[in-house]
Amino acid sequence: NSKTTQLSESIAYSNDAELAVDFCELLLSLPEIVRDVTVLFYIENMPINDIARALSLSSGAVRVRLTRARKLLSKIYKEELL
């Protein structure tokens, strides 16, 4: 049924849009020092070495910041679920 398909697609799009907004809000809640590398890595799909060059950091520093960002995002997400 085409109406059911349209409704399903609409709901899926709505959920995707809501998820994208939630993710953007989570990103904005990160400290700037880890937010920049996170946006470049996950949103811009930039390789770690390119991020390092763009931000004048070592690739190790970029990896450390990504790890810190993941931990913070996990903590914030878990707190929001409670």
Side-chain angles (χ1 to χ4, degrees):
N1 181 327
S2 67
K3 287 185 180 182
T4 303
T5 303
Q6 287 174 342
L7 180 59
S8 298
E9 289 173 359
S10 176
I11 290 169
Y13 176 78
S14 174
N15 288 339
D16 287 348
E18 289 174 22
L19 182 61
V21 168
D22 289 345
F23 184 69
C24 286
E25 288 175 359
L26 280 174
L27 283 178
L28 290 173
S29 71
L30 290 173
E32 186 176 349
I33 194 166
V34 295
R35 183 184 333 130
D36 293 343
V37 296
T38 305
V39 169
L40 291 173
F41 187 76
Y42 287 107
I43 306 299
E44 300 295 330
N45 296 315
M46 190 180 283
I48 287 175
N49 290 333
D50 291 352
I51 296 169
R53 277 191 294 277
L55 299 179
S56 300
L57 299 168
S58 69
S59 57
V62 172
R63 285 187 193 90
V64 166
R65 291 180 186 192
L66 285 169
T67 299
R68 289 180 183 159
R70 288 181 197 112
K71 288 178 182 178
L72 284 168
L73 287 169
S74 177
K75 179 182 175 188
I76 293 166
Y77 182 73
K78 287 176 184 176
E79 287 173 357
E80 286 188 7
L81 289 177
L82 298 177

